[in-house]
Amino acid sequence: MTKVKPFSLFTDFDINLFKSGKHYNLFEKFGSHIVTCEGEKGTYFSVWAPSAKSVSVIGDFNFWNSEEHPLYVRWDSSGIWEGFIPNVGKGTLYKYAIISNNNDIKTEKADPYAVRCEHPPRTASIVWETSNYKWKDKSWMSYRKEKNGLDRPYAVYEVHLGSWMKNVEEDRFLTYTELSKTLVEYVKELNFTHVEFMPIMEYPYDPSWGYQITGYFAPTSRFGTPQEFMGLIDAFHDADIGVILDWVPSHFPSDAHGLGNFDGSNLYEHPDVRKGYHQDWKSLIFNYERPEVRSFLISNAVYWLKNYHVDALRVDAVASMIYLDYSREDGEWEPNIYGGNENLDAVSFLKECNEAIYSMFDGVQTIAEESTAYTGVTNKVEHGGLGFGMKWMMGWMHDTLDYFKKDPIYRSYHQNEITFSLAYAFSEHFMLPISHDEVVYGKNSVLGRMPGDEWQRFANLRLMLGYMYTHPGTKLLFMGAEFGQYNEWNFQTSLDWNLLEFEPHIQTKNYVKTLNTLYQNTPALYEKGFAQAGFEWISYDDHKNAVMSYIRKGHDEQNDLIVVCNFTPNSHEKYDIGVPRKGILVEIFSSDSSEFGGGNNLNTKAIKAKKTTLNNKPYSVTIIVPPLAICVFKYK
């Protein structure tokens, strides 16, 4: 009896779409699928290996013998090998044994489309089904478009699942199921609107933090099964919290079981090392010129949005994709056909990917981690842009952290560093990130870089976060910063939760919770978050006192906010600023409140605007400005 039966899930139309790079649901065809063939239950396997001489399925069902179950190559020059193996079912371990036409090179590869993988360091794929999961987030999905819109508040808590919290007694990770309770409750308690997971796709090497992926379609088995990961997303949606996944279409590792040299040829990676090898990360770069590779990547993005109900993808290392000379010296890269340094194929891939995502899904976003001044990252593709919904504002992040590191005595000489971001804040749809990259490799924790004594360090942290939340753009905060972690982030250990036994850390956590509430309940902070019309300077040039003030605006001027930041430890009991109209101002928020650990030097009385011109405004007010603090006022 034939051990492998001819069988296919592909139609001629599928093949044409795949070969032209336009098939965005390849996960429904490639990989392992439990099916019934001629009345027999078993598993259909299919894999793309155009340079192969033979491809066999090896696994625990045939003692990993490559002679037992050879697949059939399709007749249509698609390079696809496929076949049905009876009596192979859910939970079976398998790989593909490939002999190449290229010097008979032999490889044993995990399935690029596997939906579940073995727990690292084991590397086999697992036959699995995910379609049997019963989603409970119908309500969330029905209003997600409104919740996830660009005119809505976005306060994102960035999490590395392996080191957020550990089971100390058993010295292990928390599972997806445990996180469905503890992490969801914590993010909800702090009033974040979204959570972002650093890559959860299967990765072999813990120190890569997940950014070196071998199983693009499989949530890592470190924390449980695919269904349990779905349960975690469901739990967040039930708590009214959106889920963002880090996605890495920029590069992949050269591990023996991964995508590299897949069929004895440069199948997924570009054959020219100038375009196909990343020197910084010692990894391989996808070949964006190859239609089948583009189909693979766009299908992967679609897969997480479709099958896992994910609400946004944060696309990693976009700058490394779009520039041929990224981190390369002269002679290590070749200009494009126009003599420029843009990777035209990567650019067109990103455009196509964003167009596909926004046309197929309502209410999702893509967010670019793009660190250069490339223009139009968040412009629509039809307007010449890359088509992302948002872009990380890396310049703001670096300038702000550098400024706050300085002793306040020197800040008056660097006022332009803290105000400069507003010169370009509306050139893109910016997200303000205080990300994981800023609290590792000797950079220190956010609290750890703050100058001064203990009180001043916490006051500086509150001021910086308050400035971030009242600055135009959406927000992202990496785990640990919300309670003032002293140590740098270490992916091998849990956050220092013991700090929450001490009052300054409890107060800081309460402060972030209150900031998130203020942000979500104050339309002036988000309705025009990407528009020049949402921001107006009052004064940015009081270098002497290192004080700046500005207005945040929404659709209704009755809701406008007046924000004042004092970047030194000097208190001002009578500080004058201009205001746009007459009326009574009340202080609705101060980082100097005693509940947050401040000195409680507050504007407790209503303040009447005087008909005195100041800062090019027709009226003015006299206010108390406490040390190292941010104060927010509203017209009564």
Side-chain angles (χ1 to χ4, degrees):
M1 190 175 77
T2 310
K3 290 185 176 178
V4 181
K5 293 184 175 181
F7 185 88
S8 186
L9 291 178
F10 286 94
T11 64
D12 290 345
F13 185 55
D14 286 322
I15 298 298
N16 287 333
L17 285 176
F18 173 55
K19 287 164 76 170
S20 62
K22 299 296 180 186
H23 203 310
Y24 303 149
N25 290 282
L26 288 176
F27 48 88
E28 294 174 355
K29 309 291 177 176
F30 276 118
S32 58
H33 297 271
I34 298 169
V35 295
T36 301
C37 172
E38 297 174 351
E40 268 189 304
K41 199 162 185 193
T43 299
Y44 162 75
F45 295 91
S46 62
V47 63
W48 179 50
S51 291
K53 184 187 288 184
S54 70
V55 178
S56 298
V57 183
I58 56 175
D60 56 2
F61 65 98
N62 64 9
F63 304 101
W64 305 92
N65 181 352
S66 59
E67 306 292 318
E68 293 278 311
H69 293 90
L71 295 177
Y72 299 96
V73 66
R74 287 184 65 91
W75 63 92
D76 51 21
S77 72
S78 61
I80 297 170
W81 298 74
E82 60 185 353
F84 171 82
I85 304 178
N87 304 315
V88 167
K90 185 176 174 181
T92 299
L93 303 180
Y94 73 100
K95 282 185 178 179
Y96 295 114
I98 302 169
I99 299 175
S100 178
N101 273 314
N102 183 11
N103 297 323
D104 286 339
I105 293 170
K106 293 180 180 177
T107 56
E108 288 188 1
K109 294 293 186 178
D111 189 341
Y113 291 87
V115 298
R116 189 176 177 194
C117 302
E118 278 193 294
H119 193 301
R122 296 190 297 273
T123 57
S125 303
I126 304 175
V127 175
W128 203 254
E129 287 180 301
T130 57
S131 57
N132 56 359
Y133 181 81
K134 297 285 186 283
W135 286 94
K136 306 174 191 69
D137 63 351
K138 189 176 179 183
S139 172
W140 164 269
M141 297 297 276
S142 70
Y143 67 77
R144 175 175 75 173
K145 185 177 182 181
E146 181 198 346
K147 176 89 177 178
N148 229 17
L150 292 176
D151 59 349
R152 301 294 299 161
Y154 249 79
V156 182
Y157 186 60
E158 187 190 23
V159 178
H160 178 261
L161 286 184
S163 58
W164 177 72
M165 185 183 286
K166 292 199 172 181
N167 183 313
V168 181
E169 293 79 21
E170 299 173 26
D171 188 30
R172 63 168 176 83
F173 302 125
L174 296 187
T175 65
Y176 292 130
T177 303
E178 289 167 330
L179 290 162
S180 298
K181 183 168 172 55
T182 52
L183 179 59
V184 172
E185 286 177 357
Y186 184 78
V187 177
K188 185 67 175 173
E189 180 199 348
L190 267 77
N191 294 320
F192 284 98
T193 63
H194 293 73
V195 68
E196 178 177 322
F197 299 140
M198 288 166 68
I200 53 81
M201 299 82 184
E202 194 60 83
Y203 57 100
Y205 187 51
D206 283 352
S208 79
W209 310 336
Y211 289 97
Q212 300 261 6
I213 296 170
T214 49
Y216 269 80
F217 290 83
T220 178
S221 50
R222 287 167 175 82
F223 315 115
T225 67
Q227 278 81 353
E228 287 163 348
F229 182 57
M230 290 171 166
L232 176 58
I233 295 173
D234 235 344
F236 272 113
H237 287 171
D238 186 55
D240 205 37
I241 296 164
V243 177
I244 304 169
L245 296 189
D246 267 17
W247 184 52
V248 191
S250 45
H251 65 118
F252 58 93
S254 56
D255 292 58
H257 69 288
L259 297 175
N261 197 37
F262 190 81
D263 59 357
S265 73
N266 302 122
L267 190 60
Y268 287 91
E269 67 272 27
H270 199 286
D272 183 342
V273 292
R274 294 173 295 182
K275 290 183 182 179
Y277 181 70
H278 205 297
Q279 296 149 306
D280 292 0
W281 303 319
K282 306 290 185 285
S283 56
L284 304 171
I285 301 169
F286 284 105
N287 184 356
Y288 307 107
E289 298 168 24
R290 195 158 193 166
E292 297 93 339
V293 172
R294 293 165 75 110
S295 272
F296 168 81
L297 287 170
I298 297 175
S299 290
N300 186 241
V302 168
Y303 172 78
W304 293 105
L305 296 165
K306 185 175 183 177
N307 286 24
Y308 281 84
H309 292 203
V310 167
D311 306 295
L313 295 174
R314 175 267 193 188
V315 184
D316 183 62
V318 170
S320 75
M321 297 170 66
I322 59 181
Y323 288 110
L324 294 164
D325 60 347
Y326 181 89
S327 199
R328 293 179 190 272
E329 303 294 327
D330 287 348
E332 294 177 347
W333 64 282
E334 186 178 43
N336 63 35
I337 55 169
Y338 303 112
N341 65 343
E342 291 95 359
N343 185 331
L344 301 176
D345 296 290
V347 168
S348 74
F349 160 73
L350 288 167
K351 290 179 178 182
E352 185 184 342
C353 186
N354 281 320
E355 281 189 309
I357 288 169
Y358 282 106
S359 67
M360 292 172 75
F361 300 96
D362 232 8
V364 303
Q365 299 292 349
T366 59
I367 305 162
E369 188 221 9
E370 203 286 306
S371 53
T372 73
Y374 189 94
T375 53
V377 172
T378 57
N379 283 2
K380 286 187 163 56
V381 173
E382 59 264 34
H383 299 152
L386 292 182
F388 284 94
M390 286 178 259
K391 166 181 166 165
W392 274 21
M393 197 175 189
M394 313 289 273
W396 172 89
M397 176 178 73
H398 293 134
D399 287 350
T400 300
L401 291 170
D402 283 349
Y403 179 85
F404 272 91
K405 216 163 51 174
K406 291 177 170 64
D407 189 304
I409 201 168
Y410 303 116
R411 287 179 181 170
S412 62
Y413 304 108
H414 297 273
Q415 185 95 340
N416 62 312
E417 288 177 26
I418 201 70
T419 60
F420 177 64
S421 59
L422 274 308
Y424 63 94
F426 309 107
S427 60
E428 300 276 6
H429 297 156
F430 279 120
M431 174 176 277
L432 279 52
I434 301 293
S435 75
H436 64 273
D437 273 326
E438 300 314 304
V439 292
V440 287
Y441 300 144
K443 293 178 184 175
N444 214 330
S445 67
V446 182
L447 179 67
R449 344 162 118 76
M450 298 297 162
D453 59 25
E454 173 106 337
W455 187 90
Q456 289 184 347
R457 291 171 89 178
F458 279 98
N460 267 305
L461 178 61
R462 292 193 302 272
L463 170 58
M464 192 197 81
L465 293 173
Y467 162 62
M468 171 185 178
Y469 270 76
T470 56
H471 187 291
T474 54
K475 330 295 172 190
L476 176 138
L477 195 62
F478 182 59
M479 62 183 200
E482 78 279 5
F483 60 78
Q485 169 129 337
Y486 275 116
N487 293 319
E488 277 194 347
W489 169 53
N490 181 349
F491 74 91
Q492 294 173 301
T493 61
S494 169
L495 294 181
D496 297 331
W497 294 105
N498 59 303
L499 292 175
L500 286 171
E501 297 168 20
F502 304 101
E503 196 166 26
H505 300 278
I506 298 169
Q507 290 167 329
T508 301
K509 179 184 165 190
N510 185 34
Y511 178 70
V512 170
K513 176 180 177 178
T514 308
L515 266 181
N516 278 328
T517 305
L518 173 75
Y519 176 44
Q520 290 174 65
N521 294 344
T522 312
L525 291 177
Y526 60 79
E527 284 182 342
K528 297 180 179 177
F530 302 127
Q532 183 73 61
F535 179 90
E536 184 182 336
W537 280 114
I538 294 173
S539 168
Y540 57 82
D541 54 2
D542 185 1
H543 299 263
K544 183 179 158 197
N545 293 307
V547 173
M548 69 181 188
S549 48
Y550 46 89
I551 306 169
R552 288 302 313 276
K553 304 173 179 183
H555 298 316
D556 182 353
E557 73 168 16
Q558 301 303 318
N559 295 325
D560 288 357
L561 299 184
I562 289 166
V563 182
V564 183
C565 299
N566 177 10
F567 297 105
T568 74
N570 301 324
S571 182
H572 305 281
E573 296 304 310
K574 291 185 175 179
Y575 189 86
D576 294 329
I577 60 166
V579 293
R581 61 183 194 275
K582 67 179 180 181
I584 307 289
L585 263 66
V586 290
E587 186 175 75
I588 62 166
F589 180 84
S590 172
S591 66
D592 198 52
S593 170
S594 58
E595 68 174 308
F596 308 134
N600 220 39
N601 196 9
L602 310 178
N603 291 274
T604 52
K605 296 175 182 171
I607 305 152
K608 188 174 182 182
K610 301 169 288 194
K611 185 78 175 85
T612 310
T613 303
L614 186 63
N615 305 127
N616 293 316
K617 302 288 183 284
Y619 293 85
S620 65
V621 292
T622 302
I623 56 174
I624 297 166
V625 180
L628 294 172
I630 179 169
C631 314
V632 182
F633 301 88
K634 194 173 179 181
Y635 277 96
K636 194 173 178 181

